[in-house]
Amino acid sequence: MTKIENSFQKITTVEQAIGYVDHAATLMIGGFGGVGSPPSLIDGLIESGKSNFTLICNDSGFPHIGAGKLVSQGKIQKLIASHIGSNPVAGTLMTEEKLKVEFSPQGTLAERIRAGGVGLGGILVDVGIENDIIQFGKEKVEVDGKTFLVEKPLTADVAFVYAKKADPFGNLLYDKSARNTNPLMAMAGRITIAEVDEIVPLGDIDPENVMTSGVFVDYIVPSKGVNWKWVWE
């Protein structure tokens, strides 16, 4: 690594990265059913003993996969997600009122995260406009004779993302469908920590292949690899 590359000082350890997460913080964790979720950061958070987090994630994963591990171990006090059906522990905790769950349709959830990342005041949607539960407590506006719900943007104290490659500046390249919500969350975290499979020298990632610019990434953690067994195996 050259002096220029080292001067960015973004590459760190899991233990140091977890130090930026406070008890009861709001977290975003990338992934879709665990695919694209950062395993080393999730395990590091569990081992830290910190808890009472608000988690923003596409879903609650599975009991032993992805962010579902945090839910299953009682580390989450509130979950904002599109569904929890793949994790029965989450359903049980919600029913027992030990876990608050805010459901947001998947497309709406992604747009709320994007809105938070780019500084918008919210988005206008017509999904659920006639559903009393979905529209409860939400502002309505009319545009060109059509009524919309105002969905508020989402941001986080810390965003955990998972990428295939990074250079020392934090430019990221994701692996196929593991890209999912990661690029959006990378923009929406006050602090963004990227767990990556491979760190390459500056210039090794073609600019046309950069999926998240390093300007959004604060810290980079080398991954120890996925350590769970997928449900289809």
Side-chain angles (χ1 to χ4, degrees):
M1 183 178 297
T2 68
K3 289 184 178 180
I4 293 177
E5 291 172 327
N6 190 50
S7 69
F8 293 132
Q9 298 181 337
K10 292 187 176 184
I11 300 172
T12 187
T13 64
V14 170
E15 293 74 20
Q16 289 174 323
I18 296 303
Y20 296 105
V21 182
D22 294 329
H23 178 78
T26 297
L27 301 175
M28 284 184 181
I29 298 182
F32 189 110
V35 176
S37 295
S40 302
L41 287 171
I42 290 171
D43 282 353
L45 199 57
I46 291 172
E47 292 167 6
S48 74
K50 298 175 183 178
S51 63
N52 206 35
F53 302 114
T54 294
L55 173 64
I56 301 168
C57 196
N58 176 72
D59 52 77
S60 58
F62 295 84
H64 65 289
I65 292 175
K69 296 171 73 172
L70 292 166
V71 174
S72 298
Q73 296 196 26
K75 303 291 185 180
I76 308 302
Q77 60 93 12
K78 180 178 180 180
L79 174 67
I80 301 175
S82 64
H83 71 89
I84 62 172
S86 57
N87 190 342
V89 177
T92 298
L93 291 173
M94 181 182 69
T95 301
E96 294 176 350
E97 298 185 348
K98 296 177 181 178
L99 174 68
K100 299 176 183 177
V101 180
E102 177 185 328
F103 290 107
S104 192
Q106 199 167 86
T108 301
L109 179 66
E111 280 296 286
R112 292 177 69 192
I113 296 169
R114 185 188 67 83
V118 299
L120 299 181
I123 60 170
L124 305 182
V125 302
D126 60 0
V127 177
I129 193 73
E130 296 178 355
N131 185 302
D132 291 339
I133 296 176
I134 293 178
Q135 68 167 309
F136 179 76
K138 295 177 182 176
E139 182 183 353
K140 294 181 181 179
V141 299
E142 188 171 303
V143 180
D144 293 334
K146 186 173 182 178
T147 303
F148 295 91
L149 296 177
V150 178
E151 293 281 0
K152 294 182 179 180
L154 292 172
T155 58
D157 298 314
V158 181
F160 286 167
V161 301
Y162 189 43
K164 181 178 181 180
K165 289 184 180 182
D167 63 24
F169 183 60
N171 294 310
L172 305 180
L173 184 152
Y174 303 99
D175 187 15
K176 304 179 182 68
S177 62
R179 182 173 181 171
N180 50 65
T181 58
N182 281 295
L184 301 176
M185 292 184 173
M187 297 191 298
R190 183 177 60 83
I191 296 174
T192 293
I193 303 171
E195 178 177 335
V196 301
D197 290 329
E198 183 182 3
I199 300 175
V200 300
L202 282 173
D204 269 29
I205 302 178
D206 188 307
E208 293 295 328
N209 292 329
V210 172
M211 299 170 182
T212 289
S213 170
V215 298
F216 295 112
V217 178
D218 298 285
Y219 301 101
I220 305 162
V221 171
S223 180
K224 299 176 184 177
V226 172
N227 58 357
W228 50 67
K229 185 176 181 180
W230 296 105
V231 292
W232 57 79
E233 293 182 296

